[in-house]
Amino acid sequence: MTETWGQLKSFEGKEFSTLDKNFTREASKLIGGQDLTACFQCAKCSAGCPVSDKVNVQVHELMRMLVFGLKEVLDTDMVWLCTTCYTCQERCPQGIDITDIIFGLKNMAFKEGKTPQGYIVSRKGLYDTGKLYEPTDWEREDLGLGDVPELDVEDTQKMFKDTGLMKLKEGDEE
Amino acid sequence: MTQSYEVFLGCSIPNRFNNYESSMRAVAEALDIELLDFDGASCCGTVVLKSIDETSWLALSGRNIALAGSRGHDIVTPCNGCFSSLKDVDHVLHSHEEHRRQVNATLKKLGLEFSGDVKIRHFVEVLYDLKDQIEDKIVHRLDGLKIAFHPGCHLIRPSPVAEFDDPELPRKVDELLELTGAQSVPWGLKLRCCGSPLLISSEEVATSILKEKMESAREAGADCVVTNCPACHTQFDVQVLGMKDDEGVSLELPALFVTQILGVAMGLDRERLGFDLNRVSLAPVAEKLGLQ
Ligand code: SF4
Ligand code: SF4
């Protein structure tokens, strides 16, 4: 299967369509997006980022793309290779909630079907069972642990129907 | 005074690390911390659901918090992922009126409400409060044991949400570990992410981060790695199996939970500490831990 994410491998020779002010505005409305345009490109975020040497587009470049309104940011590998470690957010001299913004970008990319397969599988598992992993019973018995308290799948599903978790993008089916 | 909490296990611990739950319960009992069952909990969704859809993520943890609240209880969790989900959602719902209204509209249909007065704590936070009591209970000293302690990102960052320790120079859990006589060694990449959240998008990148971590721990002369999170532990005790450096030398180090270290030093029942379930061989530290 061809990867549907991380298509933007390099800025070299790349032409961007237009600077879309609306996209910057949209990104500013994400949780944590309020100070987005205060980024002054010091690159401190990238200096401490555990994947800086492993991605095509680093986090300070991702931030620049947001300020420039380049929607192609959703095609960078940085979006899904951000480990969510919050080091950048903790250290940004401008107090920008960088990691939270990246979470919002992941949401946007997911809606466009630009996501690692694992997330699609996990969403279904979570919806069907109310959890991401099943308990291992035999070990519990050996350690004298009781059963894990019952999970209420029904209520959780009702809630996800309300939030539309399984219908985030057109053509999604429950 | 007895402290009482509903314990939010999440699904990673019962799935993979029953030794963490078991050792946590043994330590809690010895310290008179009451752990109540968290009936009707769902998964916290962790960074996985937050990455997919924040609206659903807010509702899911909002529901878990509201459940404990409806029973008048506070929450404790031994997992950094659950801790982060619950704290982060709590933080967002406190600071964003709009999100709170939306979540409460969803919860109303389930007869629940997020009221915002439930305390959410990591198990190690509760332990830190009881530091003096723990010190009094140490019966088996672990002098000479060198620990590379890995706090994990979400225990300490973002600090305005986690509200636990200094985000650049955390010391609290290290202090607890050193009560046993063991040494928490400084290591270059201590605060670096373990890479586990990337197992879902790229195992290759997750593994390269882990390799850097292991090389850093070895360079610091650590005998073992200690964690307080099942997601981090997956890296240090499962993904690490068979990992070698570029010269072909094994990078495995015994990986233990904070509660196993404290439990053994407090002289608690070995069976309940669950050492048989640690994957990487504990042989190099067995003597120091008194496991032989
Ligand atoms: S650390 Fe903050 S201000 Fe500096 S480049 Fe990164 S986002 Fe911009
Ligand atoms: S949160 Fe993401 S972008 Fe920020 S330092 Fe960590 S991995 Fe890099």
Side-chain angles (χ1 to χ4, degrees):
Chain A
M1 197 189 70
T2 24
E3 276 181 6
T4 52
W5 59 285
Q7 299 296 323
L8 178 62
K9 309 275 186 231
S10 153
F11 294 117
E12 207 72 40
K14 171 94 186 147
E15 289 204 15
F16 295 98
S17 41
T18 42
L19 310 183
D20 181 352
K21 262 188 280 173
N22 286 330
F23 183 64
T24 307
R25 216 169 288 141
E26 210 185 315
S28 301
K29 281 197 216 121
L30 297 170
I31 295 178
Q34 65 283 345
D35 301 320
L36 165 71
T37 52
C39 170
F40 53 25
Q41 285 297 291
C42 65
K44 189 173 183 179
C45 47
S46 293
C49 172
V51 297
S52 272
D53 59 341
K54 303 169 181 73
V55 289
N56 296 315
V57 175
Q58 298 184 337
V59 57
H60 73 286
E61 295 172 319
L62 171 146
M63 290 300 293
R64 200 54 170 167
M65 290 181 82
L66 288 179
V67 176
F68 280 172
L70 302 176
K71 218 182 162 195
E72 288 87 341
V73 72
L74 299 181
D75 296 316
T76 63
D77 54 357
M78 188 64 240
V79 170
W80 290 106
L81 289 182
C82 162
T83 73
T84 78
C85 75
Y86 282 99
T87 308
C88 53
Q89 180 159 326
E90 191 69 50
R91 295 178 180 170
C92 173
Q94 290 293 77
I96 302 171
D97 293 342
I98 309 168
T99 316
D100 285 330
I101 292 172
I102 299 176
F103 272 114
L105 297 179
K106 285 173 167 151
N107 282 202
M108 285 184 190
F110 190 93
K111 277 205 187 93
E112 296 191 5
K114 294 169 180 169
T115 180
Q117 189 62 24
Y119 283 91
I120 297 169
V121 177
S122 293
R123 173 177 68 162
K124 184 161 175 16
L126 189 58
Y127 181 79
D128 290 344
T129 67
K131 52 189 178 292
L132 290 167
Y133 311 105
E134 291 294 329
T136 317
D137 293 333
W138 54 273
E139 282 182 6
R140 300 187 67 79
E141 278 169 31
D142 289 353
L143 288 164
L145 291 170
D147 291 341
V148 180
E150 270 308 305
L151 302 173
D152 192 337
V153 187
E154 216 177 289
D155 271 8
T156 305
Q157 249 177 34
K158 238 190 259 168
M159 203 167 59
F160 285 153
K161 283 213 168 89
D162 214 49
T163 60
L165 175 65
M166 302 308 281
K167 296 200 165 132
L168 293 172
K169 104 174 157 35
E170 228 157 283
D172 264 358
E173 279 181 41
E174 253 163 55
Chain B
M1 197 184 66
T2 314
Q3 302 198 40
S4 173
Y5 299 92
E6 289 203 15
V7 58
F8 191 89
L9 289 176
C11 37
S12 178
I13 292 173
N15 171 254
R16 268 187 294 241
F17 300 112
N18 287 313
N19 48 351
Y20 190 18
E21 181 185 342
S22 184
S23 55
M24 168 191 70
R25 289 191 186 277
V27 170
E29 245 169 65
L31 294 170
D32 209 14
I33 304 165
E34 186 179 30
L35 299 178
L36 305 162
D37 280 351
F38 203 124
D39 283 318
S42 59
C43 166
C44 75
T46 189
V47 290
V48 174
L49 184 59
K50 189 180 181 186
S51 299
I52 298 171
D53 181 40
E54 284 175 328
T55 308
S56 300
W57 167 76
L58 288 169
L60 191 62
S61 281
R63 174 181 169 276
N64 283 326
I65 297 169
L67 263 181
S70 71
R71 301 186 281 247
H73 295 139
D74 290 330
I75 301 173
V76 71
T77 174
C79 169
N80 286 11
C82 301
F83 177 69
S84 167
S85 266
L86 295 165
K87 287 283 276 197
D88 199 2
V89 166
D90 193 62
H91 184 81
V92 172
L93 295 184
H94 268 108
S95 45
H96 293 254
E97 190 59 35
E98 181 62 36
H99 288 300
R100 184 170 172 151
R101 212 176 311 126
Q102 201 179 356
V103 164
N104 269 332
T106 300
L107 293 181
K108 198 168 177 204
K109 297 174 193 159
L110 308 174
L112 290 168
E113 192 195 355
F114 175 88
S115 58
D117 47 17
V118 175
K119 247 196 247 134
I120 298 150
R121 313 195 72 199
H122 195 292
F123 189 65
V124 294
E125 268 188 285
V126 176
L127 291 181
Y128 191 74
D129 289 349
L130 302 174
K131 201 177 145 198
D132 294 342
Q133 278 190 49
I134 296 174
E135 188 167 18
D136 290 342
K137 290 192 190 302
I138 303 293
V139 292
H140 174 83
R141 290 188 58 88
L142 306 178
D143 295 318
L145 182 70
K146 289 187 172 172
I147 294 173
F149 172 60
H150 170 79
C153 305
H154 298 136
L155 178 69
I156 50 174
R157 290 188 298 264
S159 54
V161 173
E163 302 173 295
F164 176 53
D165 206 345
D166 184 326
E168 298 292 352
L169 210 64
R171 282 298 310 162
K172 290 185 175 172
V173 181
D174 306 76
E175 283 173 29
L176 288 176
L177 291 168
E178 293 196 334
L179 292 175
T180 67
Q183 184 197 353
S184 172
V185 298
W187 50 310
L189 294 188
K190 175 174 177 170
L191 299 188
R192 171 73 53 99
C193 173
C194 68
S196 86
L198 292 186
L199 288 170
I200 185 171
S201 31
S202 168
E203 194 168 333
E204 189 192 331
V205 179
T207 301
S208 66
I209 295 177
L210 177 63
K211 192 172 162 214
E212 292 163 8
K213 288 281 289 190
M214 297 313 296
E215 284 172 340
S216 173
R218 182 175 67 183
E219 198 177 284
D223 299 317
C224 59
V225 179
V226 170
T227 74
N228 41 229
C229 170
C232 306
H233 213 78
T234 299
Q235 288 285 74
F236 295 114
D237 202 28
V238 181
Q239 296 297 117
V240 77
L241 293 170
M243 179 177 276
K244 295 189 171 66
D245 66 12
D246 295 342
E247 269 75 56
V249 181
S250 171
L251 281 169
E252 291 178 13
L253 277 180
L256 296 135
F257 287 106
V258 165
T259 44
Q260 290 182 305
I261 295 283
L262 293 178
V264 84
M266 289 161 71
L268 306 183
D269 178 5
R270 293 288 149 83
E271 291 292 313
R272 294 187 67 191
L273 300 180
F275 293 110
D276 288 347
L277 295 179
N278 294 58
R279 275 72 159 185
V280 174
S281 166
L282 297 180
V285 292
E287 201 188 319
K288 280 185 187 140
L289 293 179
L291 299 181
Q292 284 153 333

